[in-house]
Amino acid sequence: MLESRHLYLDPLVAVLPANHPVLQCLTDGAGLPTATLAREPFILFAQSAHSGIQEQIYALCHDAGFSPHIVQEAHEASTITGLVAAGLGVSILPASCEHFRVENVRYMPLDTSAAVSEIHVVYHRTEHSPLVGKLVRLLKTTRTQPNPVRGR
């Protein structure tokens, strides 16, 4: 049996090319309405990547009144970010992906409280290694919330 422990909530953010026109229309501190991405080409995780956020992204888009037009899929968040930087489209990723620090990319918070991803650690319940317990405790104490994204 597997055991799952909730670690923190990671906000989902829009990932845009730095020169995207919608960025000129936002005021500081304003979240990006998901509906502004309705006509954009999307780069998302491939279904085979099993990232766990595909359904959340589809739900966010549906709630905003559209289905994402997917032009490219990738297995890694770093690849998705690189494709956005190259101008192939936009994406929605967890805010923790901001650490990639790719030039010509902006991470913008979305304007809905539904844009979050739950982060869990999963391990075998029957695991008796003291290292597993130490790792779980370390993860719970050192990372309760990621740094908030401020449109970088």
Side-chain angles (χ1 to χ4, degrees), residues 7 14-15 33 37-38 42-43 54 74 85 88 95 98 115 121-122 124 133 140-141 146 151:
L7 295 177
V15 184
L37 304 175
F42 269 79
I43 305 162
Q54 289 96 334
L88 277 92
E98 183 184 9
V121 61
V122 179
H124 285 278
K140 288 286 288 179
T141 59

Side-chain angles (χ1 to χ4, degrees), residues 92-152:
I92 296 175
L93 291 174
S96 57
C97 292
E98 183 184 9
H99 76 274
F100 294 133
R101 301 275 188 223
V102 175
E103 285 188 41
N104 301 319
V105 170
R106 295 276 306 272
Y107 299 87
M108 299 303 299
L110 296 169
D111 72 344
T112 174
S113 62
V116 294
S117 179
E118 289 190 26
I119 306 301
H120 291 252
V121 61
V122 179
Y123 55 93
H124 285 278
R125 182 177 290 167
T126 58
E127 179 61 56
H128 298 293
S129 168
L131 295 177
V132 171
K134 288 180 181 181
L135 175 63
V136 171
R137 284 191 298 281
L138 177 67
L139 290 172
K140 288 286 288 179
T141 59
T142 60
R143 183 82 189 254
T144 57
Q145 287 291 338
N147 292 331
V149 172
R150 301 208 195 304
R152 291 181 225 167

Side-chain angles (χ1 to χ4, degrees), residues 7-85:
L7 295 177
Y8 62 92
L9 296 175
D10 196 0
L12 296 177
V13 296
V15 184
L16 306 168
N19 63 352
H20 196 285
V22 75
L23 296 172
Q24 298 172 3
C25 303
L26 292 177
T27 59
D28 281 344
L32 181 71
T34 308
T36 61
L37 304 175
R39 298 186 190 271
E40 299 292 334
F42 269 79
I43 305 162
L44 296 179
F45 282 106
Q47 289 292 332
S48 60
H50 303 291
S51 72
I53 66 168
Q54 289 96 334
E55 290 86 15
Q56 289 175 277
I57 294 170
Y58 287 119
L60 286 170
C61 294
H62 179 266
D63 291 348
F66 71 98
S67 294
H69 172 63
I70 301 167
V71 296
Q72 182 71 46
E73 293 182 332
H75 289 272
E76 301 288 335
S78 58
T79 302
I80 292 171
T81 305
L83 292 169
V84 169

